[in-house]
Amino acid sequence: MSAAVSKHAGRSDQIGALTSLLGESGQPLPPSLLLQDACSPNTTARLVSDVLDDLASASQGSLHPLCWCSVSPLTSINPTTLFRSVLTSLEHSIQQAHDRARTDTAKAVASGSRGNFRRPDTSLDYFLWKLGTLLDTVDARLIVVIKDAERIRDLWPEHVWTAFCRLALLVGKPGKIATVFISTLPWAQYRTPSGLTVSHQPITLRFPRLTRPDVLSLLALDFPLLWKSYDSSVQAAQMHAGTSIALCKRATLAKLKKANSGDQVSQDALRALYEQFVGVFYDSIKSNVRDIEELRTMSAAVWHSFVVPIQTRECSTADLQTLLLASSHLFRDVIVRLQTREVGPREWTQEARIRSIQASAARLAAAKAPQAASTTEQAEDEDASMVDEERKFDEEEWLEREMAALDRMRSASSHATMSLMPSLALIPTFLVIASFLASYNPSRLDVRYFLRDDSLLSLSSGASKGKSLKGGRKLGPGRGRKAGAGPRGRPAKSALRVTNEDGQTENLNRQQLLGPKPFPIDRLLSIFQALITESAPEMSLVYSSLIPENDLSASNVDASGDRSTLWEYRSKSLSVYSQINNLVARRMLVRTSAQDKLGTSINFRTNVSYSVVAVLAKRVRFDLDEWLWDWGASGAGGI
């Protein structure tokens, strides 16, 4: 387990607990485990994979081999694909474990027992029977790992995901089967559609946020690959910046660094600079990013542009302050564009690197040449200026091909990014935004946020505090708030708070951590009407003009064409209900009420993440963060 501990710094206690629970061959397996990691569930999934691989390798020669598989509700969204994936993976693992020593047993596992045959089907009974058959054939220990476990509540049927909590009991093989849930939520949030908590509670192992030294040690593991990337891209950076020996002018050559720059940088010197860089980078974005995978991706993306002045020989590895000043804008841009998935990591890295090379070339052109130079340096400049024309022509030709390839790659990446983004019309877009706000905003603030009549604001919590309602907006979260009054998303005084390792206070009762909550369809339509009336006035008039004239009387619509009154009819039309059904079919909305319920008793819940809604909101020029209540408060915006 030493290899797993070294790869996952700060998780030695959790690795030891997993090993003691799952690694003892003579000890029965627990029915289920819940690994709760609110910050980096993907990192925890990789940790579990490494631990189980080590345990399976160590148990290959034993009488009780360990076989495991992993599934995700995002890829196995129905029981048919779920059961097929689990059974296929376990059969393959058992066959591999007995491929050498027990060939006859492996063949029996693959073909099944002749005396105990059953026609395959997609029912839970067949799945349980097949697991029992596998354990009757081979005395093995089976572990099923479920990633993204918080999504099983709305994607899998209730009788399926509750059965995974007690597979060993249902199969009749206690201590032989275990289920490991990897989730961002505690088990108290795993409720059935009826609102009851599952009675079979698994053993919970909590993975808290890593401390600063642990995060820096994890980032240090990326340096070998970054060093190879630096060494292979030095020549390209110098050619693009015009600082290579063949393309550099004599006036620019006198401004270049000679030692600890370009290809004269040693691995140890660059490692020391990288350790300083990751420390500054983590301190800058730790309040916005908590996921370790995102942190490593963003750190590597910024690093490729951070070292450009060293590659172009503008700076040396000792000029840390100069490098930070040249790349300070990247620390902000990586949060604004890369973390929000506006662009992909590869596209962002290419754009930032090209801009850094251009900025480095511009700074070198504007810099003043040194006053005096030694005789040796003058001789080197003379030798550099006498480069043969053939090499210069080759580098210029290479540079032209490289620029053409970059243009083609940028165009292809842009088309791919646009094709992957959700494409919706105006009405479905605002329905998705309204459903997201209804799932995460408290209903007690609907009057203050979405009501257009200021005379009714006495019902809201904001008016009860004596705030002035004059001179503000007619609609939205800014109404009734004085200028410079501070942030809107203030958690309640009774909210549960804990202090993490960095000394920051976290509110654990925020809806962002608890997940989306259901809402009635009337609330969805009311929020949708308010948003599309306020945020898309020109388009709302176009859509509202489609209403038949006999549906609007003169008493209902005045001469000025009130958009709110128009959309009061439009928001409850058949086309809007059809769009809601389409969103349910695309799994962007989830219906939580029973199918036999109709009318206003229908409840929904949003099924899209913040990153998707942010992209849709940006396309219609809607400020999503301004309308979200208590989202990312207390420095937890990166979850």
Side-chain angles (χ1 to χ4, degrees):
M1 291 301 159
S2 59
V5 173
S6 61
K7 291 171 58 178
H8 303 278
R11 300 302 189 198
S12 57
D13 295 339
Q14 287 78 9
I15 292 176
L18 283 176
T19 305
S20 62
L21 289 172
L22 306 177
E24 300 293 336
S25 59
Q27 174 181 308
L29 294 175
S32 56
L33 293 175
L34 175 67
L35 309 184
Q36 182 196 352
D37 191 344
C39 299
S40 305
N42 294 330
T43 307
T44 301
R46 193 170 65 251
L47 180 148
V48 173
S49 177
D50 294 339
V51 171
L52 292 180
D53 282 339
D54 294 341
L55 295 178
S57 300
S59 65
Q60 284 184 358
S62 64
L63 298 177
H64 308 285
L66 178 67
C67 302
W68 71 281
C69 68
S70 63
V71 292
S72 173
L74 299 179
T75 55
S76 302
I77 60 176
N78 54 54
T80 302
T81 56
L82 169 65
F83 297 156
R84 184 190 304 118
S85 177
V86 172
L87 293 177
T88 303
S89 300
L90 290 179
E91 288 177 356
H92 181 68
S93 299
I94 293 176
Q95 188 172 2
Q96 280 187 338
H98 295 78
D99 193 22
R100 294 182 179 179
R102 303 179 182 181
T103 308
D104 297 336
T105 305
K107 292 180 179 179
V109 171
S111 60
S113 176
R114 294 183 179 179
N116 191 14
F117 176 77
R118 182 173 176 177
R119 184 180 299 276
D121 55 46
T122 60
S123 63
L124 179 62
D125 292 338
Y126 174 78
F127 174 71
L128 298 175
W129 173 84
K130 188 63 177 179
L131 287 179
T133 303
L134 291 176
L135 291 177
D136 289 338
T137 308
V138 179
D139 189 10
R141 294 172 295 151
L142 307 181
I143 298 177
V144 180
V145 180
I146 300 179
K147 305 175 184 178
D148 306 306
E150 64 274 1
R151 299 303 306 275
I152 64 177
R153 303 170 300 170
D154 55 300
L155 293 179
W156 292 352
E158 178 182 347
H159 71 280
V160 172
W161 70 266
T162 53
F164 274 87
C165 303
R166 49 194 181 103
L167 277 181
L169 179 62
L170 295 176
V171 175
K173 303 290 183 180
K176 294 295 184 179
I177 306 177
T179 304
V180 179
F181 298 94
I182 302 176
S183 173
T184 59
L185 301 177
W187 191 252
Q189 301 300 323
Y190 284 75
R191 300 178 181 272
T192 62
S194 58
L196 300 178
T197 306
V198 180
S199 58
H200 306 279
Q201 184 171 0
I203 301 175
T204 301
L205 291 180
R206 188 172 183 270
F207 287 68
R209 185 180 183 182
L210 293 175
T211 60
R212 185 179 187 273
D214 294 333
V215 174
L216 297 184
S217 62
L218 288 176
L219 293 177
L221 299 177
D222 298 332
F223 178 75
L225 293 177
L226 295 177
W227 162 252
K228 293 181 180 179
S229 176
Y230 174 89
D231 192 34
S232 61
S233 60
V234 169
Q235 185 179 4
Q238 292 180 357
M239 289 184 181
H240 284 289
T243 58
S244 63
I245 297 179
L247 301 178
C248 185
K249 299 179 181 179
R250 179 176 297 183
T252 305
L253 190 62
K255 308 173 187 177
L256 301 181
K257 301 288 184 178
K258 301 299 186 294
N260 292 328
S261 63
D263 53 0
Q264 302 298 322
V265 176
S266 63
Q267 186 174 358
D268 294 336
L270 196 65
R271 185 189 299 273
L273 178 64
Y274 179 74
E275 292 176 355
Q276 294 176 312
F277 162 77
V278 294
V280 175
F281 182 78
Y282 175 73
D283 293 337
S284 302
I285 69 170
K286 66 180 180 181
S287 60
N288 299 92
V289 182
R290 292 193 172 190
D291 189 271
I292 298 299
E293 297 296 326
E294 285 190 357
L295 188 63
R296 295 177 66 178
T297 301
M298 296 167 64
S299 173
V302 175
W303 169 259
H304 287 298
S305 300
F306 179 80
V307 295
V308 163
I310 302 177
Q311 293 179 327
T312 59
R313 300 172 62 187
E314 177 192 358
C315 301
S316 64
T317 55
D319 301 330
L320 178 62
Q321 295 297 331
T322 305
L323 293 171
L324 290 176
L325 289 175
S327 60
S328 59
H329 65 284
L330 299 175
F331 288 66
R332 297 187 299 269
D333 188 67
V334 74
I335 296 177
V336 174
R337 300 176 65 232
L338 182 55
Q339 187 191 15
T340 58
R341 306 299 192 274
E342 182 178 341
V343 294
R346 184 177 182 181
E347 183 180 359
W348 188 93
T349 304
Q350 290 175 350
E351 291 182 1
R353 186 170 173 82
I354 291 174
R355 292 176 183 174
S356 298
I357 292 175
Q358 294 173 351
S360 178
R363 288 192 298 267
L364 285 173
K368 295 182 180 180
Q371 296 295 332
S374 62
T375 306
T376 305
E377 292 178 351
Q378 291 179 359
E380 292 178 357
D381 294 344
E382 291 292 338
D383 295 339
S385 62
M386 296 176 62
V387 178
D388 57 338
E389 293 295 331
E390 183 178 358
R391 179 177 179 181
K392 183 177 181 180
F393 177 77
D394 291 341
E395 291 192 0
E396 290 177 349
E397 186 179 2
W398 179 91
L399 185 59
E400 292 180 359
R401 293 197 304 267
E402 184 72 11
M403 294 300 295
L406 284 176
D407 292 338
R408 291 193 301 268
M409 187 180 301
R410 189 182 307 173
S411 177
S413 177
S414 177
H415 288 301
T417 303
M418 293 300 296
S419 62
L420 291 177
M421 288 297 180
S423 178
L424 297 175
L426 182 72
I427 292 180
T429 298
F430 276 96
L431 282 174
V432 172
I433 297 174
S435 66
F436 191 82
L437 294 177
S439 288
Y440 286 99
N441 280 12
S443 58
R444 59 183 174 85
L445 296 179
D446 286 352
V447 175
R448 178 180 176 183
Y449 272 52
F450 308 111
L451 190 65
R452 298 185 63 85
D453 189 0
D454 287 345
S455 62
L456 299 179
L457 274 177
S458 58
L459 302 176
S460 66
S461 60
S464 61
K465 299 179 181 179
K467 294 184 178 180
S468 175
L469 302 176
K470 296 181 179 180
R473 295 173 54 187
K474 288 294 183 182
L475 180 66
R479 180 175 56 180
R481 189 172 71 240
K482 296 181 180 180
R488 147 193 48 79
R490 185 176 59 185
K493 294 182 179 179
S494 60
L496 177 62
R497 293 178 174 87
V498 297
T499 303
N500 58 21
E501 291 82 353
D502 293 339
Q504 297 176 341
T505 302
E506 302 179 63
N507 175 22
L508 299 183
N509 285 341
R510 291 186 293 115
Q511 199 64 41
Q512 179 185 1
L513 299 178
L514 300 179
K517 59 183 179 181
F519 51 83
I521 190 173
D522 279 353
R523 186 174 179 226
L524 171 65
L525 296 177
S526 300
I527 296 177
F528 163 73
Q529 175 192 348
L531 294 185
I532 201 168
T533 304
E534 179 76 10
S535 302
E538 65 283 350
M539 294 301 296
S540 62
L541 285 177
V542 173
Y543 277 91
S544 299
S545 63
L546 301 177
I547 304 176
E549 295 181 358
N550 54 7
D551 289 345
L552 300 176
S553 60
S555 59
N556 292 332
V557 182
D558 55 5
S560 61
D562 183 32
R563 295 191 301 269
S564 178
T565 307
L566 291 173
W567 271 103
E568 187 176 354
Y569 288 87
R570 177 65 177 171
S571 62
K572 298 179 181 179
S573 62
L574 179 61
S575 61
V576 174
Y577 282 95
S578 300
Q579 296 291 350
I580 293 177
N581 289 332
N582 292 335
L583 293 177
V584 173
R586 298 180 64 170
R587 291 192 173 274
M588 303 185 81
L589 276 180
V590 175
R591 178 168 175 167
T592 59
S593 57
Q595 296 295 329
D596 56 348
K597 290 187 177 182
L598 301 175
T600 59
S601 59
I602 302 177
N603 292 335
F604 295 95
R605 185 178 71 242
T606 185
N607 198 37
V608 294
S609 61
Y610 172 83
S611 58
V612 175
V613 180
V615 172
L616 294 175
K618 189 173 183 179
R619 289 183 175 181
V620 294
R621 299 179 181 179
F622 179 81
D623 191 359
L624 179 63
D625 294 332
E626 179 66 18
W627 294 74
L628 278 173
W629 170 262
D630 198 15
W631 186 273
S634 303
I639 294 181

